[in-house]
Amino acid sequence: MTSLRLLSCVLAAWLPAATAGQTLTLTLADGHDFVRYGQTLDYVVTLTNDGDAAAAVPVSVELSPAWDPAGASWVCYPGTDGATCAASGSGPLSDLAMLPPGARVSWVVSVPTLPDTPETIVTLDVVATGAATVSDSNALVVFKDGFDVPYGDGTQDLPPDGT
């Protein structure tokens, strides 16, 4: 267990998850419905404190078996509103965000899929103490769009014929 994860667990047990005046909102986006075997997806995770009290919030991701956790990494962007978090980490996201009232923290989480997984769906869940858990699932595909799609990553739907 890393020292950051241990600190997160200790603080989570010691600090209340949400107190009166805290309203925590968690969002997750990757811009994909599909992912290729072996492809790395970048997720944007954002935690916002819309309340009027400061919050110390442990944040982590849970990965389904089709992901390669050893290849995962993340970077935190605390913004300019006094929020703090660890700068970056390797492996699945596990961080502690300190959010004053009205503050927001964002992470870019990069996770590769296993190239030889028998799974057909990958799911990533984000858990932040005091906020509703968010989840995203993508279907695994070999190739979804045509071979001649400029800037394509192989996971976009083809447009209907005639467009």
Side-chain angles (χ1 to χ4, degrees):
M1 180 177 279
T2 66
S3 58
L4 180 60
R5 183 171 284 180
L6 180 61
L7 176 62
S8 296
C9 293
V10 169
L11 284 174
W14 182 66
L15 295 172
T19 59
Q22 283 183 354
T23 305
L24 301 173
T25 305
L26 190 59
T27 61
L28 172 66
D30 73 343
H32 284 80
D33 292 325
F34 305 96
V35 61
R36 290 186 332 272
Y37 291 87
Q39 181 182 7
T40 297
L41 282 185
D42 293 323
Y43 286 88
V44 176
V45 176
T46 303
L47 178 64
T48 306
N49 181 0
D50 291 320
D52 57 6
V57 185
V59 180
S60 62
V61 298
E62 297 172 359
L63 304 174
S64 66
W67 293 111
D68 179 6
S73 62
W74 52 271
V75 176
C76 182
Y77 299 94
T80 59
D81 47 15
T84 61
C85 54
S88 63
S90 59
L93 172 64
S94 179
D95 199 4
L96 178 68
M98 305 296 278
L99 293 105
R104 175 177 47 202
V105 173
S106 294
W107 294 266
V108 174
V109 179
S110 300
V111 187
T113 60
L114 294 167
D116 57 355
T117 181
E119 305 293 322
T120 58
I121 301 287
V122 293
T123 301
L124 183 138
D125 298 320
V126 182
V127 178
T129 305
T133 298
V134 293
S135 181
D136 182 76
S137 294
N138 295 295
L140 279 157
V141 296
V142 174
F143 207 72
K144 188 71 177 160
D145 55 11
F147 289 100
D148 238 356
V149 177
Y151 311 106
D153 66 5
T155 62
Q156 307 305 313
D157 279 324
L158 288 173
D161 289 339
T163 58

